[in-house]
Amino acid sequence: MSKLILIIGSLLLFINTLFGLIISSYLSLNWVGVNIVFLINILLLYKISTSQMNNGFKVSLSYIFPFLGIISTILAVLSPDKFKDNYCLIGYVFILFIEAIFYLIAVNLKLTTNKK
């Protein structure tokens, strides 16, 4: 499963980068933002699939992260090419922050249950 995550993620990164270089209307902030979203989601899904956390956490996070990743990708694509007053950028950064918090909570719950 972890190899499949890496292969699919790498293909998505390659295709997005190729689109970013070929399509002139695909703004550079958008394709870099989408690549960042892909990289973070690939990393989190890979870490989940290779971790020793409970299966309940693995299953729930493996459904939540792709869903939030799709929303982040849509926000990254729709983001205007500016940093100031960019609410889409704020939105997908916030979603990535939520994903990181979910992962850290799952890992910390795993650590606290092992101590008992």
Side-chain angles (χ1 to χ4, degrees):
M1 182 68 177
S2 59
K3 287 183 183 180
L4 185 64
I5 291 170
L6 292 176
I7 291 170
I8 291 173
S10 299
L11 286 173
L12 286 172
L13 279 171
F14 177 74
I15 290 170
N16 185 57
T17 303
L18 192 64
F19 285 166
L21 295 173
I22 293 174
I23 300 172
S24 63
S25 62
Y26 193 25
L27 304 173
S28 59
L29 181 66
N30 295 57
W31 70 271
V32 169
V34 171
N35 277 348
I36 291 170
V37 168
F38 283 162
L39 282 172
I40 291 173
N41 279 299
I42 292 166
L43 176 72
L44 288 173
L45 287 171
Y46 179 76
K47 292 293 283 182
I48 288 170
S49 68
T50 59
S51 73
Q52 298 296 322
M53 67 177 67
N54 295 336
N55 287 334
F57 287 125
K58 282 185 178 183
V59 170
S60 62
L61 291 178
S62 67
Y63 282 108
I64 291 171
F65 284 172
F67 176 72
L68 291 175
I70 290 170
I71 294 171
S72 295
T73 303
I74 291 169
L75 288 174
V77 168
L78 297 177
S79 174
D81 197 24
K82 62 179 184 172
F83 284 106
K84 191 168 187 153
D85 297 329
N86 192 341
Y87 296 111
C88 291
L89 178 67
I90 293 169
Y92 75 80
V93 168
F94 183 70
I95 290 172
L96 293 175
F97 176 73
I98 289 172
E99 288 179 343
I101 294 295
F102 282 167
Y103 177 75
L104 291 175
I105 288 171
V107 168
N108 284 332
L109 285 176
K110 163 75 170 103
L111 292 175
T112 58
T113 56
N114 282 343
K115 290 181 182 178
K116 293 181 179 179

